Amino acid sequence: MTRARALLLAAGLLVGCVRPAALPVLVDDVAARRPLAPTLGARALDLSARRWPDGSVWRASQDRGAVVLLDVWATWCDPCRESLPFYDDVARQFAARGLKVYALSVDADAGPIDAFVKELGLTVPVLHDPGAAMAEEVLKVRQMPTSFLLDRRGVVRYVHEGLSEDFFQQTLSEVEVLLAEAVP
């Protein structure tokens, strides 16, 4: 491993998890908060995933009219252990105002998901994207955790990659902004 790659890997682990075989993309705190990402745009996100553990299909389109927070995570991701309980709290805090939160696992093997969810005491619905095909191809996820905030029309408005010191407060502020917008 080159010295540059080792430094990139070490830096990537400080802000979030990267897939073990992937070269991390470093994201500074400001860039991670800006509403700029390949999946942002004027059109609603066309996305579907299997609910875990029953395998029923969830479609982003079924949540039009609600603000949606979609967090992409994996059981091997240490920062995900911090972000997922936060999202669980946010889901309870804002559900009555129209926020729906989903946790999208990219674990290739669903086996560890049950123990992970129980260990963290998660109550948000869990979706499964085995092997991260959708996360990589549609959402363009580069590291874990990555969260997406969709407005009431289903348009991705904010993306956060990894964790930073102001991550939680920034996310709460963005949720408030989107919930304050009129229902289409």
Side-chain angles (χ1 to χ4, degrees), residues 86-96 99-101 123-125:
F86 168 73
Y87 291 135
D88 210 49
D89 291 341
V90 169
R92 283 189 291 276
Q93 181 179 352
F94 293 103
L99 177 69
K100 294 193 176 191
V101 177
T123 60
V124 296

Side-chain angles (χ1 to χ4, degrees), residues 10-156:
L13 293 174
L14 293 175
V15 296
C17 292
V18 287
R19 291 183 59 132
L23 181 65
V25 175
L26 302 180
V27 179
D28 67 2
D29 290 346
V30 174
R33 291 190 313 262
R34 278 194 319 237
L36 298 173
T39 56
L40 292 171
R43 293 189 331 207
L45 186 62
D46 183 23
L47 186 70
S48 63
R50 297 277 177 189
R51 291 179 184 269
W52 178 89
D54 71 8
S56 63
V57 177
W58 168 83
R59 288 181 177 76
S61 60
Q62 74 192 39
D63 288 323
R64 298 295 189 264
V67 172
V68 173
L69 192 156
L70 178 66
D71 182 56
V72 181
W73 62 280
T75 56
W76 45 261
C77 168
D78 286 334
C80 297
R81 292 180 177 278
E82 268 187 78
S83 64
L84 284 167
F86 168 73
Y87 291 135
D88 210 49
D89 291 341
V90 169
R92 283 189 291 276
Q93 181 179 352
F94 293 103
R97 292 180 52 199
L99 177 69
K100 294 193 176 191
V101 177
Y102 297 93
L104 176 66
S105 168
V106 295
D107 286 284
D109 176 16
I113 295 173
D114 187 50
F116 187 89
V117 167
K118 285 179 181 172
E119 177 186 336
L120 295 181
L122 298 179
T123 60
V124 296
V126 174
L127 308 172
H128 189 217
D129 179 20
M134 180 183 52
E136 290 176 357
E137 294 168 22
V138 177
L139 297 172
K140 310 295 186 210
V141 170
R142 301 177 294 189
Q143 68 184 51
M144 263 30 98
T146 295
S147 61
F148 299 85
L149 272 167
L150 287 66
D151 66 18
R152 295 179 188 275
R153 296 173 298 132
V155 175
V156 176

